[in-house]
Amino acid sequence: MKSKDAFLKEIKKNGNTETAKHLSHFFKTGRGEYGEGDLFWGLKVPLQRAIAKKYKEALDLRDLEELLQNKIHEVRLSSLFILIDKYREG
């Protein structure tokens, strides 16, 4: 399985519908609100950081550029965590 696909699959399988519902409310994703249209799978940040660490070496900048355009909030945030780590390492 391609690394990017494995990354997406792992994020999705760790989702939680109750957490997703809470996050959608917290980030004001309703019509006319500042986060309108943002979608969540319901992962908490520590888990996103762990997944990002696991896939940091497997994903290149082209993969991350594509993942940053994903419609799912946790995919974008986890991708940013990877970019931050890559930047820190130089």
Side-chain angles (χ1 to χ4, degrees), residues 2-55:
K2 196 172 173 199
S3 300
K4 183 174 60 176
D5 294 335
F7 174 75
L8 288 167
K9 185 176 181 179
E10 185 159 352
I11 291 175
K12 187 172 185 174
K13 85 170 183 177
N14 282 287
N16 178 295
T17 55
E18 287 300 313
T19 303
K21 188 186 300 184
H22 170 74
L23 292 170
S24 292
H25 177 73
F26 180 81
F27 283 101
K28 310 277 187 234
T29 61
R31 186 178 173 112
E33 296 178 315
Y34 73 88
E36 181 177 352
D38 208 1
L39 300 174
F40 293 86
W41 279 341
L43 282 82
K44 295 188 178 181
V45 171
L47 180 55
Q48 289 179 67
R49 288 185 185 278
I51 293 169
K53 185 176 182 179
K54 179 178 175 180
Y55 287 92

Side-chain angles (χ1 to χ4, degrees), residues 49 56 80-90:
R49 288 185 185 278
K56 179 177 70 172
L80 284 173
F81 290 148
I82 293 172
L83 278 175
I84 290 166
D85 284 347
K86 285 181 178 280
Y87 174 80
R88 284 182 178 154
E89 291 175 359

